Amino acid sequence: MAWTNAHKQALIIKVVASLLCEHNVPIRFIIASRPEVAIHAAFQKETKLLAVFTSISVDVDEDAQADIRQFIEDSFLDIVSSHPLGHHITLPWPSPHSIDKIVWKSSGHFIYAATVMKFIGSSSEHPGCALKAVEGLEPSRIGSTFAELDSLYMHILTSATYSSQVLGILRHRCLTYLENSVAAVCSIYDISPEDVELFLSDVQSLVSSSPKYSTGIFINIKHASLRDFLADSKQSQRFYIKRDEYHASWLPRYFQLLDSGIRVSSDSPSLSERGAFINS
């Protein structure tokens, strides 16, 4: 039998369970991972671990945003003090707004903040120019601003078992102002709620589903930067589609559903935010 990554991951968890529960080895293990289905299933299978392990989700960690802000502020201080061109930086720098924007785009995850700060701190560019590139105020002169993050998104989407269906759901969530509920997705794509759960099972690091106002289950994007990724042809490459082309391809279906009760989401962005998104 060929060993897949899922098999290897399950074996590691099995060995950890054996060491902790059968051999009583005085060691603590920290296992960090995206919320992969195979890993979750492996933990559930090793029932003896349930009494000795705990899980922490950064999605609900109240300290995550504060930790990310501290990381960003410390990184900027390091850039000012140690960057080869740091003496050209006019203080105070950066502005509180710039820091707030990076914190917000991080969505409680370090991957975005780490990618951005690595880019801004690159010795190949002036930090001020690099920050402007991150904020979309001017083009980057040293390659893709979010290359590492783009590669991660590409890997997750490409590796998903139901990649095309996942992409369709993400496009519905990011490119339309229709209700982002599971029910709306099921109506548009003519699939069942069970299908939605199955399709998204491989991309739980990108999306989640949760009740909202007791009106149903809604699909949530965990990373604000994922919207930017899907809206930029250079970042998302073969996964990219223009908003108007996407709507045009689904126009016949939209007409069929006019009387079905699907409505514009109540949390749609304002007109100014829509314009900024469309032009990004």
Side-chain angles (χ1 to χ4, degrees), residues 17-18 39 41 66 68 72 92 98-99 105 127 133 135 140 168 213 215:
S18 176
I39 294 176
I68 289 172
I72 293 169
S98 293
I99 294 177
K105 278 289 184 71
E135 295 178 327
S140 169
Y213 309 132
T215 58

Side-chain angles (χ1 to χ4, degrees), residues 22-272:
E22 296 176 11
H23 301 285
N24 198 28
V25 176
I27 300 176
R28 290 185 178 182
F29 290 88
I30 297 177
I31 300 177
S33 171
R34 299 195 304 269
E36 302 285 356
V37 174
I39 294 176
H40 177 75
F43 272 106
Q44 294 300 312
K45 184 177 181 180
E46 299 297 332
T47 55
K48 52 182 172 289
L49 274 178
L50 298 180
V52 297
F53 98 103
T54 185
S55 62
I56 300 175
S57 173
V58 295
D59 297 329
V60 295
D61 187 352
E62 296 179 354
D63 296 328
Q65 185 162 311
D67 291 341
I68 289 172
R69 179 178 294 276
Q70 187 65 57
F71 166 75
I72 293 169
E73 291 176 348
D74 290 345
S75 296
F76 274 121
L77 289 176
D78 288 341
I79 291 171
V80 170
S81 63
S82 61
H83 194 280
L85 298 175
H87 58 283
H88 291 294
I89 296 175
T90 301
L91 300 178
W93 180 88
S95 69
H97 174 72
S98 293
I99 294 177
D100 289 344
K101 191 171 183 179
I102 297 174
V103 172
W104 178 77
K105 278 289 184 71
S106 296
S107 305
H109 300 271
F110 269 93
I111 179 63
Y112 179 85
T115 300
V116 164
M117 297 315 301
K118 181 178 179 180
F119 180 82
I120 296 173
S122 171
S123 60
S124 300
E125 177 60 285
H126 186 283
C129 294
L131 176 58
K132 289 180 180 179
V134 167
E135 295 178 327
L137 301 178
E138 60 182 46
S140 169
R141 300 186 296 187
I142 55 172
S144 175
T145 311
F146 308 105
E148 294 183 10
L149 190 59
D150 294 344
S151 296
L152 177 61
Y153 286 153
M154 291 291 289
H155 171 72
I156 294 174
L157 293 175
T158 303
S159 302
T161 303
Y162 297 94
S163 181
S164 61
Q165 290 89 341
V166 166
L167 191 59
I169 294 173
L170 290 179
R171 285 170 173 169
H172 168 82
R173 184 63 182 85
C174 296
L175 300 181
T176 80
Y177 299 113
L178 297 175
E179 187 175 86
N180 59 310
S181 66
V182 170
V185 169
C186 291
S187 296
I188 291 174
Y189 288 98
D190 194 20
I191 56 179
S192 69
E194 292 79 10
D195 285 334
V196 175
E197 182 176 352
L198 175 64
F199 296 159
L200 298 181
S201 61
D202 285 341
V203 293
Q204 293 182 32
S205 58
L206 301 183
V207 299
S208 64
S209 56
S210 61
K212 183 177 181 182
Y213 309 132
S214 302
T215 58
I217 304 299
F218 284 71
I219 298 171
N220 306 305
I221 301 295
K222 292 184 177 181
H223 301 263
S225 58
L226 181 59
R227 292 178 179 273
D228 298 335
F229 170 80
L230 292 173
D232 190 300
S233 60
K234 293 181 179 179
Q235 290 183 253
S236 53
Q237 300 176 35
R238 68 179 183 276
F239 292 135
Y240 173 76
I241 184 173
K242 291 182 179 179
R243 185 194 298 272
D244 54 355
E245 291 179 358
Y246 173 79
H247 284 301
S249 67
W250 283 96
L251 195 58
R253 181 62 173 164
Y254 290 160
F255 279 119
Q256 292 176 1
L257 296 171
L258 278 176
D259 297 325
S260 68
I262 295 180
R263 59 188 183 279
V264 175
S265 175
S266 60
D267 58 356
S268 296
S270 65
L271 289 177
S272 61

